[in-house]
């Protein structure tokens, strides 16, 4: 257990060194908070409520999404795939640390850094310019922490699977593109799932991606169904981690190392 | 100028050939790229299920705006998108190698790679344009027909100028490239929606500071024959080419200044 804590700390510290990049990314997140906020607010010139969300919910959603997006970072993480392609994965697999557990711990450390330095700041800026909805009950904060870290674990399990396809495909750009695209849409990042037509919303809630963005934010907004959402997050996390383990086993058997 | 273009073509042709080698993989990624961008349009479709108009613009009219900016931006992304790698090139010393060669540094940077998959984005732009045309009621005078290519060309130059000028930040502040996304990808996203949804401080910034409103909004008012509820005078609708030229000048100056500074610090 101590080992994984150490790995998480490494993950945290590694990303903490990218100071300028973090600042630049933070600036971008903040600008997009404004932009996406104004786009979604345009809906409420015509109506007071859409899909159970009012204007305050929606603008809070827009800012919370920008806060969350770097934590549940799926786009562009190809470290494991690169290690497979370059052959370093062989040494990784020889180590006494489980590959998936290592990267999960590492990612949780990273996400914790991004929570503090790319998650909270845009939201705080947003709260100066807009009237954002904050939780009324203390228990919400606890549920939020659980839900957010589940979202991180879930998105990790997902991107780990995408990376493992490198065992078979070597170049995962196609998988990465489509995998990220599906997540963008189905997680509620593009628009909140509640704005989808009824059948699409139902489908989206049943699928794993909703747990990466929509669920934690709904917990934050104290929307009904929070516990169901969290349960689904947990279930999908376990399921996707299990798929990852199966793929690891199959991939190791099939191991093709490029570059000797 | 002609010589530059010829050299550019030769530099790029090899890259393109290499990318097209694995046809199936390339096609998959290209389509994927297009679909990713198309999600921004899906966002609009989802929103328009809930409301009849966005700041007085119908779905087809917004689609028109979207198509212009999407296509122009995709083209620019295709041609100079590799500029995103500038920080790496500086860090690894590859940029120093570029400075030694007897060819413009900017040209060398952008011709290092041309990601053909970005064609997918341009194609979805054309598709949305077709959709837009199917639903807008335009009195197509010769002027209006001409305005469309002029608008797209100006849009591309404006985006390009902003992108180049923005990228020069890499010469001054290490690792800052992501901030430029605000005006490039952010600019593309912003211009997919009518100006009226933004508050007045942002609208003014988009007209006078970073002139993104000239990418598609103002010229589209002319083409679509719309009234501008925001009170800008009618002649701004024809300013895009001039704004494009101004962006070119600013971008060139910014790049030269930055490279001169970079050289003189003896990195």
């Amino acid at each position: 257990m101590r080992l994984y804590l150490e790995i998480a700390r490494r993950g945290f510290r590694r990303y903490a060194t990218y100071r300028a990049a973090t600042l630049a990314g933070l600036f971008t997140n903040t600008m997009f908070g404004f932009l996406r906020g104004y786009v979604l607010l345009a809906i409420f010139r015509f109506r007071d409520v859409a899909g159970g969300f009012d204007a305050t919910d929606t603008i809070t959603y827009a800012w919370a999404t920008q806060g969350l997006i770097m934590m549940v970072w799926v786009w562009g993480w190809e470290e494991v795939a690169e290690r497979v392609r370059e052959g370093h994965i062989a040494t990784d697999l020889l180590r006494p640390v489980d590959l998936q557990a290592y990267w999960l711990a590492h990612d949780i450390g990273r996400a914790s850094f991004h929570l503090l330095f790319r998650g909270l700041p845009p939201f705080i800026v947003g709260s100066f310019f807009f009237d954002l909805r904050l939780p009324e009950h203390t228990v919400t904060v606890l549920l939020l922490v659980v839900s957010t870290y589940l979202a991180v674990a879930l998105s990790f399990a997902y991107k780990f699977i995408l990376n493992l396809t490198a065992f078979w495909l070597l170049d995962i750009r196609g998988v990465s593109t489509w995998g990220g695209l599906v997540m963008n849409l189905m997680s509620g990042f593009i628009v909140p799932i509640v704005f989808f037509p009824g059948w699409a919303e139902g489908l989206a809630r049943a699928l794993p991606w909703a747990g990466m963005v929509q669920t934690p934010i709904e917990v934050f907004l104290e929307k009904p169904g929070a516990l169901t959402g969290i349960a689904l997050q947990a279930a999908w996390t376990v399921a996707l981690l299990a798929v990852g383990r199966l793929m690891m086993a199959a991939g190791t058997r099939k191991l093709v190392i490029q570059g000797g | 100028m002609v010589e530059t273009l010829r050299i550019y073509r030769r530099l790029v042709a090899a890259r393109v050939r290499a990318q097209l080698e694995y046809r199936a993989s390339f096609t998959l990624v290209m389509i994927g790229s297009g679909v990713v961008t198309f999600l921004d349009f899906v966002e609009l479709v989802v929103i328009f299920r809930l409301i009849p108009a966005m700041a007085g613009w119908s779905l087809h009219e917004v689609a028109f705006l979207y198509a212009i900016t999407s296509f122009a931006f995709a083209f620019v992304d295709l041609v100079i998108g590799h500029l995103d790698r500038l920080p790496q090139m500086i860090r690894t010393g590859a940029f120093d190698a570029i400075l030694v060669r007897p060819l413009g540094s900017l040209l060398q940077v952008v011709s290092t790679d041309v990601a053909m998959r970005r064609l997918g984005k341009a194609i979805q732009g054309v598709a949305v344009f077709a959709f837009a045309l199917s639903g807008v009621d335009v009195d197509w005078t010769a002027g209006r027909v001409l305005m469309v290519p002029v608008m797209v060309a100006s849009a591309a130059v404006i985006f390009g100028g902003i992108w180049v000028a923005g990228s020069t930040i890499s010469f001054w502040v290490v690792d800052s490239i992501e901030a430029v996304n605000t005006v490039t990808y952010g600019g593309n996203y912003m211009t997919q929606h009518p100006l009226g949804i933004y508050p007045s401080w942002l609208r003014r910034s988009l007209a006078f500071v970073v002139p993104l409103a000239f990418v598609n909004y103002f010229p589209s008012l002319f083409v679509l024959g719309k009234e501008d509820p925001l009170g800008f005078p009618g002649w701004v609708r024809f300013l895009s080419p001039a704004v494009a030229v101004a962006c070119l000048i600013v971008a060139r100056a910014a790049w030269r200044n930055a490279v001169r500074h970079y050289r003189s610090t003896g990195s």
Side-chain angles (χ1 to χ4, degrees), chain B residues 71 80 119-120 140 195 199 264:
Chain B
F71 182 81
I80 70 169
L119 262 183
W140 288 106
L195 216 55
S264 70

Side-chain angles (χ1 to χ4, degrees), chain A residues 86 92 128 157 167 192 194 198 206 220 238:
Chain A
E86 288 162 12
D92 289 348
F128 279 114
F167 277 121
V194 293
F220 184 72
V238 170

